[in-house]
Amino acid sequence: METQHKLILIIVPATFSLLLLILFFIIFLRRKRPTKNEPAQMEAGFESRHVGDAENEELIKFQCGEDLTVHDILDAPGEVIGKSSYGTLYRASLIRVNSVVVLRFLRPACTGGMKEVVHLIQVLGSITHDNLVPLMAFYGGPRDENGDSHRWDIISKISIGISRGLDHLHTGLQKPIIHGNLKSKNIFLDRNYHPYISDFGIHLLLNPTSGQEMLEVSASQGYKAPELIKMRDASEETDIYSLGVILLELLTGKEPINENPTPDEDFYLPNAMRNAILEHRITDLYHPDILLGQGIDQIPIIEEQILNFFQLAMACCSPSPSLRPHIKQVLGKLEEIGK
């Protein structure tokens, strides 16, 4: 199978207001000192970039990017701030050079061949003008953006970690804390796929107007429980619904919202999965890479685990709050499935 290459474009100083105008580049934003307690290698949206074999890699550096290395780029801790059909946008910290940047990762299937792309990048990198944001560097290599995140053992590990964090919020404190905005962009992964939940309880600090804005964003992204009308009414049950959507994301590799559904598809991921079951489209229930590398004798066992995982995720996404499992039940079931 042909090796896929990841493409990263990097550009130099620009104001934050330009972010919406820039589609393919990395923007130098500001200087930042990483704190001692800052978790290393964190990215959001279940995407973890590893530094591996350097073969077939290409790093082209332009003006202001002469000191950058492949490790600076791929080891940069950061968070997803945008996704599109052709790639993912990250805000990341280049630790060694003490800078905060925005990284654009382009999906291999959406780009031309490496030889063609490298030639075009050389042309783009040579362009300088006071009204143009110049390229700092370009990386092309075989390090897939999602790495091993579609492997079954990684999915299980991430799911259990997220559930343990949510369990601590719901049951491990003197007074339960409702996350209120649980979604994949608020879950960071380190290089070992250890998940960290962020932004928990932020809704408690917001005024009613801002809280509703947060809820509307959650709804537009496909994580809002159907019964949740006011952010002040967020509950353990609404957190469980959001968790279910995340579990389906991990399992299927699909987005929570299908912005361009066909007549046979549903807008929301949980509904689309219910339809897949009714129409016996079992292959839609999980990402095809989950079974890669499994021995023949193991596949039936793994598929049974996948089905149990799917059923649990769908139970979390039940339209009825009373039918959703408690976080302790979710965690216990995930640990049982993962054995």
Side-chain angles (χ1 to χ4, degrees):
M1 184 167 60
E2 182 177 284
T3 300
Q4 291 188 330
H5 287 69
K6 176 166 56 181
L7 309 181
I8 308 174
L9 304 177
I10 312 170
I11 60 177
V12 290
T15 63
F16 190 79
S17 62
L18 290 176
L19 285 179
L20 296 179
L21 304 178
I22 298 170
L23 300 179
F24 299 100
F25 309 110
I26 293 181
I27 311 162
F28 179 96
L29 295 179
R30 59 187 174 87
R31 307 296 287 184
K32 175 190 175 185
R33 291 185 179 180
T35 63
K36 292 182 179 179
N37 296 324
E38 183 176 22
Q41 306 291 340
M42 284 193 182
E43 294 103 30
F46 313 123
E47 299 178 33
S48 183
R49 303 186 293 276
H50 294 261
V51 176
D53 190 351
E55 292 183 5
N56 301 318
E57 292 185 328
E58 184 96 35
L59 179 61
I60 303 173
K61 295 180 280 190
F62 304 109
Q63 186 176 358
C64 298
E66 295 89 349
D67 294 334
L68 289 176
T69 68
V70 172
H71 286 268
D72 289 334
I73 300 168
L74 297 185
D75 277 358
E79 61 175 325
V80 174
I81 58 175
K83 286 190 175 185
S84 67
S85 60
Y86 53 82
T88 306
L89 192 66
Y90 294 86
R91 182 187 293 113
S93 299
L94 301 183
I95 302 299
R96 188 180 62 82
V97 294
N98 198 29
S99 300
V100 174
V101 299
V102 173
L103 306 165
R104 166 64 74 183
F105 287 73
L106 301 180
R107 294 188 172 94
C110 300
T111 63
M114 281 298 294
K115 291 182 179 179
E116 176 187 356
V117 169
V118 168
H119 171 71
L120 293 172
I121 290 299
Q122 292 281 13
V123 173
L124 295 175
S126 67
I127 299 173
T128 58
H129 187 275
D130 287 345
N131 300 110
L132 295 176
V133 181
L135 284 171
M136 284 178 64
F138 162 83
Y139 165 81
R143 303 174 189 183
D144 184 66
E145 181 184 3
N146 292 304
D148 296 325
S149 60
H150 293 309
R151 275 177 29 202
W152 170 248
D153 58 329
I154 299 300
I155 290 174
S156 179
K157 179 177 181 177
I158 293 172
S159 302
I160 290 173
I162 295 170
S163 298
R164 285 175 178 166
L166 192 60
D167 176 49
H168 184 72
L169 291 177
H170 285 187
T171 70
L173 304 172
Q174 186 174 3
K175 182 179 179 180
I177 294 293
I178 306 304
H179 189 291
N181 193 29
L182 190 62
K183 54 187 176 182
S184 61
K185 288 184 179 180
N186 287 336
I187 298 172
F188 295 78
L189 304 177
D190 65 16
R191 64 165 50 198
N192 297 313
Y193 295 102
H194 183 92
Y196 301 81
I197 300 176
S198 68
D199 279 16
F200 47 86
I202 295 296
H203 68 286
L204 299 173
L205 309 178
L206 302 179
N207 60 38
T209 299
S210 297
Q212 282 306 109
E213 291 175 358
M214 175 183 284
L215 183 59
E216 289 169 8
V217 171
S218 179
S220 69
Q221 295 174 343
Y223 296 96
K224 185 187 80 67
E227 77 277 7
L228 187 56
I229 306 301
K230 299 289 185 181
M231 179 54 82
R232 67 188 180 195
D233 296 326
S235 64
E236 293 181 16
E237 289 78 14
T238 60
D239 275 356
I240 292 296
Y241 182 92
S242 300
L243 175 61
V245 175
I246 291 171
L247 296 181
L248 288 177
E249 278 187 272
L250 283 166
L251 188 64
T252 65
K254 301 177 187 293
E255 299 286 342
I257 292 285
N258 184 353
E259 296 183 355
N260 299 294
T262 66
D264 297 329
E265 294 177 326
D266 196 274
F267 194 69
Y268 295 101
L269 182 56
N271 294 341
M273 292 301 98
R274 289 189 187 96
N275 293 339
I277 286 290
L278 293 174
E279 297 168 10
H280 305 287
R281 290 183 282 111
I282 303 301
T283 55
D284 287 355
L285 304 187
Y286 56 85
H287 193 282
D289 289 351
I290 287 179
L291 298 180
L292 291 181
Q294 300 294 332
I296 295 177
D297 294 337
Q298 292 178 293
I299 289 179
I301 300 174
I302 294 299
E303 287 183 329
E304 182 179 354
Q305 290 173 309
I306 291 171
L307 181 58
N308 289 335
F309 186 101
F310 172 77
Q311 291 173 336
L312 176 62
M314 293 303 293
C316 291
C317 293
S318 171
S320 173
S322 62
L323 296 180
R324 295 172 202 154
H326 186 271
I327 186 58
K328 288 287 188 188
Q329 295 173 303
V330 175
L331 179 56
K333 188 64 176 178
L334 287 172
E335 290 175 337
E336 176 186 333
I337 294 170
K339 290 181 180 178

